[in-house]
Amino acid sequence: MTPYVDTYYRRTLTSEASYPVLSGRHDANVCIVGGGLAGLTTALELARRGLSVTVLEARRVAWGASGRNGGFVSPGWAARGDQIRKRVGTDHARALFRLSMEGVAMVSDAIRDLAITDAQVIHGILRVSRYENGEALKAQRDEQETEFGRQLRLLSREEVQSLLLSRKYHQGLLDDASFHFHPLNYARALAREIVRLGGSVHEDTPAVSADLASAEKRIRTPEGEVRAASVVFTGGGYTDRMLPALRRAFLPIATYVVLSELAPELIATAIRTQSGISDGRRAGDYYRVVDGKLLWGGRITTRTTDPRDIAAVIRREMIATYPQLESLRVDVAWSGLMAYARHLMPLIGPVMPGVWACTGFGGHGLNTTAIGARVVAEAIAGESDRYRAFAPFGFLWNGGLFGTAAVQMTYWAYQAMDLVRERRSRRVA
């Protein structure tokens, strides 16, 4: 059985259960290719509606980004609100944000209804600014309350720095309703529930070829075949090229995470909150205290191979923010590939008759995989056409090598702009 990558989540798994390799012929209403959170939630939504489902996972359940991310669950999409509004208009953008809120509720409901105590939920997400930004954050808070009924707390620089002892930070918005958790234990609980409801989950079972043109779809694996009326492709950054039209629509983007040694007293000299922390930069830092250790992630790159020393790359960011953590050692470091479309929104909808996509969630997937899965399941079950909310974004070509270069250059440009803002704030201070 393929092992999980060494991460905090792998080290704190509560179950070593595995699922069998698929062999022989299997018939199902729906075959789902990809056993991450999008695929598992799609399967669960369909199984709850009485449809037979078969999930094919090339490695292990939630082996990729679904099981090794920062663990932050909050509303929103990888694309920023102003980007979405510019493309679809204000009313449509608000409808999409409400869908993202529904995704958060779905995760919370699943944890409660399935009694997933090992999800280790801790409420509170604090988004901080690295430059003077009080008026903009106040406007965001007011809009969230007026338009969506969300209660966010605007923290002054003094309040932020009482929680985060760093000169880097200015104001922040605290969202007590959002939370952080253990995504791998959560995903594996979804898989257990799918099987309990009569569905089948298969690990170490890659889909190697497909006949998708006929009314009855056929997905072949090394040792078997699934025949189904519908197929949903839910792979992310590790997706192969079996469905070229889908693979050409996104780029695999890498991000890095480290876990520190056990040092609660030392960490408390820098961080005095259990909330998850993220800053407002594009691909900024995100971190949280877990079990007396510091889990810290950040950076994005189009380079899909790991740098020589991930720990050193991320540790520099950590020490630059909190010099008092200079002596804190990194215990384990890992990377993960996310799928980003050019427009930064998910790829949700029909690819051809009976063939669906639910992927491309970028760096904001824990709530969006949930709602993406639900709207696809509703469409397959004939209940709604809510998936059409994503139609304006489409399956655009990712640009190939030019697209890869453009993404990296855009990231560097955002870094430069953020640095200018920080320097301006330091001069004012």
Side-chain angles (χ1 to χ4, degrees), residues 237-316:
Y238 298 89
T239 300
D240 61 21
R241 299 183 180 276
M242 190 172 71
L243 190 60
L246 180 59
R247 182 60 186 82
R248 287 195 299 266
F250 67 81
L251 291 168
I253 303 294
T255 189
Y256 310 125
V257 188
V258 301
L259 180 73
S260 79
E261 65 180 327
L262 178 66
E265 294 83 6
L266 176 58
I267 293 169
T269 67
I271 301 165
R272 297 177 178 174
T273 177
Q274 290 298 305
S275 295
I277 312 298
S278 67
D279 64 50
R281 298 174 298 167
R282 170 64 69 184
D285 299 325
Y286 51 92
Y287 52 93
R288 59 195 181 104
V289 178
V290 291
D291 304 333
K293 304 177 181 183
L294 184 56
L295 188 154
W296 188 295
R299 297 208 169 210
I300 63 169
T301 177
T302 55
R303 174 183 174 180
T304 56
T305 57
D306 289 346
R308 183 173 302 152
D309 192 346
I310 294 174
V313 170
I314 297 300
R315 192 174 183 280
R316 282 195 295 270

Side-chain angles (χ1 to χ4, degrees), residues 116-189:
I116 312 175
T117 56
D118 55 0
Q120 302 172 12
V121 172
I122 299 177
H123 281 89
I125 301 293
L126 174 58
R127 182 172 176 268
V128 290
S129 176
R130 289 168 61 109
Y131 54 89
E132 194 66 26
N133 200 31
E135 289 303 314
L137 293 179
K138 181 179 182 297
Q140 291 177 30
R141 180 202 63 185
D142 293 345
E143 180 188 26
Q144 289 286 299
E145 181 174 354
T146 301
E147 298 297 334
F148 307 109
R150 301 182 68 231
Q151 302 294 319
L152 306 182
R153 285 194 282 158
L154 176 62
L155 303 187
S156 67
R157 185 174 187 182
E158 292 73 21
E159 289 172 311
V160 168
Q161 293 190 349
S162 71
L163 301 174
L164 308 174
L165 281 67
S166 171
R167 297 182 64 186
K168 293 282 187 182
Y169 297 135
H170 292 254
Q171 298 82 17
L173 282 178
L174 178 59
D175 179 1
D176 290 313
S178 294
F179 58 94
H180 52 96
F181 77 145
H182 194 300
L184 185 53
N185 281 339
Y186 171 79
R188 289 168 62 85

Side-chain angles (χ1 to χ4, degrees), residues 262-394:
L262 178 66
E265 294 83 6
L266 176 58
I267 293 169
T269 67
I271 301 165
R272 297 177 178 174
T273 177
Q274 290 298 305
S275 295
I277 312 298
S278 67
D279 64 50
R281 298 174 298 167
R282 170 64 69 184
D285 299 325
Y286 51 92
Y287 52 93
R288 59 195 181 104
V289 178
V290 291
D291 304 333
K293 304 177 181 183
L294 184 56
L295 188 154
W296 188 295
R299 297 208 169 210
I300 63 169
T301 177
T302 55
R303 174 183 174 180
T304 56
T305 57
D306 289 346
R308 183 173 302 152
D309 192 346
I310 294 174
V313 170
I314 297 300
R315 192 174 183 280
R316 282 195 295 270
E317 302 282 346
M318 182 172 67
I319 302 308
T321 305
Y322 296 108
Q324 62 268 51
L325 299 182
E326 174 66 37
S327 64
L328 185 66
R329 293 187 299 105
V330 170
D331 192 19
V332 62
W334 65 92
S335 68
L337 295 182
M338 308 170 290
Y340 272 91
R342 283 172 54 191
H343 44 60
L344 304 183
M345 285 294 284
L347 302 168
I348 296 173
V351 182
M352 61 181 72
V355 179
W356 294 80
C358 186
T359 185
F361 296 95
H364 205 301
L366 292 178
N367 65 308
T368 55
T369 50
I371 189 58
R374 174 169 285 177
V375 299
V376 169
E378 288 174 350
I380 291 173
E383 294 177 359
S384 86
D385 62 353
R386 292 203 293 169
Y387 73 89
R388 295 185 185 277
F390 301 93
F393 302 97

Side-chain angles (χ1 to χ4, degrees), residues 51-72:
L51 278 73
S52 61
V53 294
T54 296
V55 179
L56 305 180
E57 167 52 46
R59 298 175 181 88
R60 302 292 304 279
V61 165
W63 179 90
S66 288
R68 52 173 113 160
N69 54 71
F72 289 46

